[in-house]
Amino acid sequence: MSEIFTILKSELVVTGIIFILLLIKLGKGIKNDVLLPIIQLLLLLNFIASCFWNFETSCFADMYQTDMVIACEKSILSLGVYLISLLFTGWLRQTEHLAEFFILLLSALLGMFLLLSSGNFLMFYLSLELATIPVAAMANFDLQKKTASEAAMKMILSSAFSSGILLFGISLVYGVTGTISFAELPTMLNGSTIQIMALVFLFSAFAFKLSIVPFHLWTADVYEGSPFAVTAFLSVISKGVIAFAFIAFLYKVFQPMHAVWYNMLMLLSVVTMVLGNLFALRQQNIKRFLAFSSIAQVGFILVGISGSSAQGAAAVIYFVLIYVFSNLAAFGVAETIALFTGKERIEDYKGLYQNNKFLSWVLALALFSLAGIPPTAGFFGKLFLLTAGAAKANYAFITIAALNMIVSLYYYLKVVRAVFMDKSDTPPPAIPVNPFTKFGLIICAAGIVLTGLLGWIYDHIAALF
């Protein structure tokens, strides 16, 4: 029994925090100013616990599996959730249902942990639903806003559609092979027509969750309508876990059909980068801007996955870690500004530097990293992704990806120009930054710089394979 508790450490810690919040809610209740620091401390302990006592094993007839790579991925997700609790302190303190919000968020995180450790399609599907349904409820957390209800409706409909596609693909796989075990499937795949059809359905389900073009149509509206904390969770944590699962899905389960999915991956990667960049160019709302930029970032993740190697997997995990720091920093600054001014348009950022130097520099650093400008960590992340993708010697593909990096420079620097160079008759006033939010932004800024400069971080991730 003690061994089972050690194996399921990450899931049990999250479950324990959920039960603590339920007990608090059932009691007399605690004010948000007191409850939020308690939750932040629990999430910090969850992150610390995820970094220790990890090993490779399986249980429940291989339905649950874990190893050092999966443990590393769970640690990155735990770090991201902890940072979200810090960065959006202002909004979280104001919300009427703080305990319920974190119960939903941690339920989704629990589903993500189980998703990464899934050993067969049954466990995978149930975990995916647990990771998705609470997020739809979170999207509607601003109950007084109609756009939040619209976002939740679009989220649940797109999730239901992608789940149906996933189930159909799973049924085809089971009908052809007679098994849903990830360990047994590779020996039974021969690239027949019906297996290719099953792969297309399964690939499409992942594409919905990752917002790969043309399955991205829900993304911008859901991001814009949801609270900033939920948008950040969707953009970073949800995308990160699906990217991790996608690697295992393609590399381990469907590796015998590599020739098929490589061509799909290459085509969709190019389309996703190009259209993501083109739509990001014309956005004025900061949430929609970051939504389409995240779609373009997914295109670069697909470049790394296309390498079909340990180097490609390590590059994706490293990039997601950098993406956690960079994107959360951008969302944290945007939420701080929106909470004080009520404005979310990029033109409202003109002259921000005049009265808000700290927020301006953190935002610039985050956007530089997302654009891949050295010496930020984003440059090294994209460099490793392109290097992994170049292993197939498809240099036209890599050239297109590199050119898209240049295109992305324009719209990221457009925001930086508005903040530092554009003049405004009514620049944003001095915006007070909550100490917890400031601490979270400092962590993100340090992560953006140090993750790139400290080479041992990537070496550690690469050594796990």
Side-chain angles (χ1 to χ4, degrees):
M1 184 61 69
S2 61
E3 184 180 348
I4 292 294
F5 276 111
T6 306
I7 294 171
L8 298 171
K9 166 179 58 69
S10 297
E11 289 76 12
L12 290 174
V13 171
V14 173
T15 305
I17 298 174
I18 293 172
F19 272 101
I20 291 172
L21 294 177
L22 284 171
L23 291 173
I24 290 173
K25 193 62 187 176
L26 290 173
K28 293 182 179 179
I30 303 176
K31 291 183 179 180
N32 286 358
D33 289 344
V34 178
L35 179 58
L36 185 55
I38 294 174
I39 294 173
Q40 291 168 339
L41 176 61
L42 291 172
L43 292 177
L44 175 60
L45 294 175
N46 173 55
F47 167 62
I48 294 172
S50 68
C51 299
F52 299 99
W53 306 295
N54 298 310
F55 47 89
E56 182 175 352
T57 188
S58 63
C59 58
F60 308 122
D62 287 339
M63 183 177 285
Y64 179 95
Q65 300 174 346
T66 187
D67 55 33
M68 298 305 293
V69 174
I70 294 173
C72 177
E73 293 169 348
K74 291 179 180 178
S75 296
I76 293 173
L77 299 179
S78 297
L79 174 62
V81 170
Y82 171 62
L83 288 174
I84 286 174
S85 73
L86 291 175
L87 292 169
F88 304 100
T89 296
W91 177 81
L92 291 169
R93 279 182 173 172
Q94 293 180 8
T95 187
E96 186 180 351
H97 306 286
L98 178 63
E100 291 92 329
F101 178 82
F102 276 102
I103 289 171
L104 289 170
L105 187 148
L106 291 170
S107 297
L109 183 65
L110 177 61
M112 293 173 182
F113 284 176
L114 293 171
L115 178 69
L116 293 175
S117 293
S118 298
N120 62 35
F121 272 121
L122 176 61
M123 179 82 165
F124 179 86
Y125 176 75
L126 294 175
S127 302
L128 185 63
E129 291 304 294
L130 178 58
T132 301
I133 294 174
V135 180
M138 290 162 59
N140 193 29
F141 226 73
D142 278 340
L143 299 176
Q144 70 276 16
K145 294 183 180 179
K146 291 183 179 180
T147 53
S149 300
E150 180 185 350
M153 180 61 70
K154 290 182 178 179
M155 177 75 187
I156 200 69
L157 288 176
S158 64
S159 297
F161 186 56
S162 63
S163 295
I165 292 175
L166 177 65
L167 281 175
F168 192 77
I170 292 172
S171 66
L172 289 178
V173 170
Y174 181 70
V176 173
T177 63
T179 182
I180 55 173
S181 170
F182 292 164
E184 297 174 3
L185 275 172
T187 60
M188 299 182 180
L189 298 176
N190 53 27
S192 64
T193 303
I194 195 168
Q195 289 182 2
I196 293 175
M197 183 182 296
L199 175 61
V200 169
F201 278 106
L202 294 170
F203 199 104
S204 300
F206 275 101
F208 263 104
K209 303 296 184 183
L210 275 173
S211 300
I212 297 172
V213 176
F215 306 97
H216 69 292
L217 299 176
W218 61 274
T219 309
D221 291 336
V222 173
Y223 279 29
E224 184 178 8
S226 303
F228 268 100
V230 180
T231 305
F233 185 84
L234 277 168
S235 176
V236 178
I237 311 301
S238 292
K239 291 278 179 67
V241 72
I242 298 300
F244 295 152
F246 203 28
I247 294 172
F249 173 77
L250 294 178
Y251 285 17
K252 296 179 181 179
V253 183
F254 277 87
Q255 183 59 33
M257 300 175 65
H258 168 265
V260 178
W261 60 253
Y262 174 75
N263 291 325
M264 295 167 58
L265 207 62
M266 183 174 64
L267 175 63
L268 291 178
S269 174
V270 171
V271 175
T272 300
M273 283 186 289
V274 172
L275 289 185
N277 281 333
L278 291 179
F279 278 103
L281 286 171
R282 57 192 296 272
Q283 299 306 314
Q284 294 302 317
N285 181 281
I286 190 67
K287 285 184 179 177
R288 297 183 72 88
F289 168 80
L290 291 172
F292 282 108
S293 81
S294 73
I295 291 172
Q297 300 289 348
V298 168
F300 289 103
I301 289 176
L302 298 184
V303 173
I305 296 176
S306 70
S308 186
S309 62
Q311 181 188 11
V316 171
I317 294 173
Y318 179 68
F319 183 79
V320 170
L321 174 61
I322 295 167
Y323 190 63
V324 166
F325 291 125
S326 306
N327 224 35
L328 286 184
F331 274 113
V333 172
E335 193 268 347
T336 302
I337 296 170
L339 196 65
F340 186 78
T341 65
K343 298 177 180 179
E344 297 180 1
R345 295 179 63 81
I346 295 174
E347 64 183 21
D348 298 322
Y349 286 34
K350 290 182 178 179
L352 179 69
Y353 181 71
Q354 291 178 234
N355 299 314
N356 301 277
K357 292 180 171 51
F358 173 73
L359 293 177
S360 299
W361 281 115
V362 173
L363 180 60
L365 195 60
L367 294 176
F368 286 156
S369 181
L370 291 171
I373 297 175
T376 61
F379 167 75
F380 298 100
K382 288 188 175 179
L383 176 64
F384 292 146
L385 288 176
L386 294 176
T387 303
K392 298 294 182 183
N394 192 338
Y395 298 118
F397 175 40
I398 301 303
T399 301
I400 294 172
L403 290 175
N404 272 277
M405 285 182 62
I406 299 173
V407 174
S408 69
L409 284 174
Y410 173 78
Y411 58 79
Y412 285 123
L413 293 180
K414 180 178 70 173
V415 181
V416 176
R417 184 190 67 186
V419 171
F420 287 91
M421 300 177 66
D422 290 352
K423 302 298 181 182
S424 174
D425 295 332
T426 56
I431 299 171
V433 183
N434 184 281
F436 289 99
T437 302
K438 192 169 189 177
F439 179 54
L441 290 173
I442 290 171
I443 292 175
C444 289
I448 291 170
V449 176
L450 297 179
T451 308
L453 297 180
L454 301 178
W456 64 264
I457 296 177
Y458 175 78
D459 292 339
H460 172 72
I461 294 173
L464 299 177
F465 293 89

